[in-house]
Each structure stands twice: as structure tokens, then as C-alpha cells.
Amino acid sequence: MAANAPKLEIKDVGKVFKTKKGETTALEKTSFTISDGEFVTILGPSGCGKSTVLRIVAGLEEATSGQVLLDGLEINGPGPDRGMVFQSYTLFPWLTVKENIVFGLKLKGLSQKERDDVAGHYLQLIGLEQFGGHYPIQLSGGMKQRVAIARALANDPKILLMDEPFGALDAQTRNIMQEVLLKAWEESKKTILFITHDVDESIFLADSVYLMTARPGRLKKKVPISLERPREFSVKGTPEFAKYKEELLYLIREESLKSV
Ligand SMILES: Nc1ncnc2c1ncn2[C@@H]1O[C@H](COP(=O)(O)OP(=O)(O)OP(=O)(O)O)[C@@H](O)[C@H]1O
Ligand SMILES: [Mg+2]
């Protein structure tokens, strides 16, 4: 397959939830394609269907219309080719950090030595070499999310799906986590679909920001971010960054005004 072959194709995907009180359109028919190794952030107002898109790609929710293709194959349920990181902390509390990271690898048949090597590599990548033997309860929120990212990457998925993974963290920790994630992405070259409310975060991380309309959401605009890579924290203070921010804030405001 060519290096730039599309990895993830969302084709006319829509979602209507049927409840006792009637139908809710969570997502209007939406189409987009994410290339191999691309980092895409989805930005949009609350309730516009961001989590719904991600859950459909993850195979946790069924679309009402359309289809999702990963490497040309239709997604019909969850699978190890997609790694997930959520806002809420999802580590296994009875396993150590190291055991959490390599949890899926025993099932894949990797030996103890291979699992140790993988754990060592990812502990170093997330800067938690000293914490391999700790339990999740002994970690801060930011540390737990580092481990969640390491666990997702250790399983070597084709794509990483992240739903506001830093949403519960304070602003300083969040900034550090963005840098940790970029480092992990630059090393792993995974395709990433990342959801956020935070405009700065969406720009800092992405190759492209996909802005969604207000509820019921659909893709409003794709904004390619051509800031240099690898990106340093200082890029947030540049005029180029400010320009992207101004554009996105303006577009979001337009959307938000529709729902007041
Ligand atoms: N299981 C469900 N049953 C019924 N309606 C649902 C369900 N899940 C989501 N919805 C509705 O679908 C719409 C989109 O929800 P979704 O969680 O995708 O939004 P979101 O953009 O992720 O919002 P937020 O930014 O607040 O996380 C909302 O109106 C929500 O009420
Ligand atoms: Mg959500």
C-alpha cells in the first residue's frame, strides 16, 4: 500500500438515538478521511456529537447511517487495531503501572522478557521509569493518563482514539501532557483522532483541526495547521499560533451563537 494511503474513512456517518421521549439526532451525516500517521483534533461545542463520532469509530456505538473503514475494512465492533484513551481514568487498580502497560501483550503471546522490554520502553517515553511498580491509586491524574497513553500504544494499534483525555487535569499538567503526547506520537507515528474543547490544545497538537457545528453536529471546517514540527511549547506564543486561534475562536463563536 502507498505510504499516503488513507487510513480512516468516515463515510456519511450519522447517528440518531431513539429514546422513550423521541429521537435525538446526535450526529448529522458526516464524512472525512484521516491519512496514515496524521494527527487530527476534533473541536466543537458541547453536545455536538464529538464523543459519538469517536465511539462509532471505536465500534462501541453503531452508526444509524454510513460506514467507517479502517485500511479499507469496515468497522463492525471494537478491536485491538484501535486504542482508546478516555477522560476518566481507566487503569486496572489491582495491577501495577507496568502490568497495566503490558496487559494486552500476554494475550498476544509475548514472552515475559518481551513484555519487560516493551514496558521499559514506554515507561521511559512517558517519564515514569521510577513508577513501574506503583499502583494507580498512588499516582496523580496526569501520571495515570500517561500510563493510559502508554498502555494504548504498547498494544500497537493502527489508530489512537482519544476523548478529552486531559479534560480533568489542571492547566499546567495539561500543557505538559500535550508535550508528552506529541513526543509519543513523533516516536510512534500512529494516526491519532483526538477530541477536545480546548482551542489551544487543538492547534498545538494537530496536523488538522476539524471543527464541528453546534448540535446536531457535522463537520463545519477543516483547518490545516502548518506550524513546524517537532513543536515546542513556545510555539503557543507565536503570531502564527495566534492567527489560528483567532480563526477558530471566531468560527466557534458563530456556532455557539446559534445555540443560545
Ligand atoms: N446513549 C445516548 N442516548 C441518547 N442520546 C444520547 C446518547 N449519547 C449521546 N446522546 C446525545 O447525543 C448528542 C451528542 O452527544 P455526544 O456525547 O456525542 O456530545 P459531545 O460533543 O461529546 O459533548 P461533550 O463536549 O459535552 O462531551 C447529545 O445531544 C446527547 O444528549
Ligand atoms: Mg463528549
Side-chain angles (χ1 to χ4, degrees):
M1 198 177 280
N4 281 335
K7 261 288 201 226
L8 181 73
E9 294 166 89
I10 314 271
K11 290 186 171 173
D12 288 328
V13 169
K15 178 72 183 179
V16 179
F17 284 106
K18 291 191 177 68
T19 61
K20 280 182 197 150
K21 288 190 178 160
E23 295 189 343
T24 311
T25 303
L27 186 66
E28 298 265 26
K29 280 188 184 173
T30 298
S31 300
F32 57 93
T33 300
I34 301 181
S35 307
D36 192 6
E38 197 177 2
F39 199 138
V40 166
T41 51
I42 294 187
L43 183 66
S46 186
C48 75
K50 302 183 295 297
S51 294
T52 301
V53 177
L54 204 83
R55 289 174 59 78
I56 290 171
V57 175
L60 299 171
E61 202 83 69
E62 215 174 308
T64 320
S65 67
Q67 51 173 192
V68 180
L69 305 174
L70 185 57
D71 265 351
L73 296 175
E74 190 166 358
I75 284 171
N76 285 315
D81 51 356
R82 283 148 290 150
M84 295 282 300
V85 182
F86 300 95
Q87 178 175 342
S88 56
Y89 307 131
T90 55
L91 299 179
F92 300 122
W94 61 89
L95 297 179
T96 64
V97 163
K98 191 176 147 191
E99 288 164 348
N100 263 287
I101 291 175
V102 296
F103 178 75
L105 301 182
K106 199 172 179 183
L107 300 170
K108 281 189 176 172
L110 269 72
S111 70
Q112 181 70 53
K113 162 87 175 67
E114 287 167 322
R115 298 202 302 272
D116 284 348
D117 288 349
V118 171
H121 173 76
Y122 283 104
L123 280 168
Q124 199 208 354
L125 186 68
I126 60 172
L128 293 183
E129 297 98 322
Q130 314 299 322
F131 292 87
H134 283 57
Y135 286 89
I137 198 167
Q138 300 169 309
L139 305 179
S140 71
M143 290 157 95
K144 284 183 206 170
Q145 288 305 69
R146 289 181 193 218
V147 179
I149 292 167
R151 180 178 61 180
L153 287 172
N155 282 298
D156 197 24
K158 286 183 182 162
I159 181 166
L160 209 53
L161 306 172
M162 310 184 85
D163 194 351
E164 305 207 41
F166 309 147
L169 305 175
D170 64 84
Q172 282 77 18
T173 308
R174 192 173 188 144
N175 286 335
I176 300 289
M177 292 299 292
Q178 291 163 6
E179 293 186 76
V180 170
L181 178 62
L182 275 191
K183 194 171 141 222
W185 173 73
E186 271 147 18
E187 192 224 56
S188 69
K189 293 283 165 227
K190 295 287 175 207
T191 309
I192 299 186
L193 184 53
F194 183 107
I195 285 174
T196 182
H197 274 110
D198 187 298
V199 178
D200 285 36
E201 182 168 271
S202 75
I203 301 166
F204 181 61
L205 295 174
D207 292 319
S208 298
V209 178
Y210 286 40
L211 183 72
M212 287 181 72
T213 64
R215 200 173 75 84
R218 64 185 156 70
L219 196 63
K220 180 183 169 102
K221 192 164 184 198
K222 176 178 173 176
V223 180
I225 307 293
S226 53
L227 299 169
E228 249 178 43
R229 304 249 192 214
R231 282 181 201 160
E232 302 287 334
F233 177 72
S234 55
V235 77
K236 290 185 183 178
T238 62
E240 293 82 5
F241 193 93
K243 226 169 140 213
Y244 287 123
K245 189 168 173 177
E246 190 186 348
E247 179 184 358
L248 284 165
L249 284 173
Y250 177 79
L251 290 166
I252 290 176
R253 184 166 176 276
E254 248 183 9
E255 282 313 306
S256 304
L257 285 175
K258 286 183 198 160
S259 52
V260 288

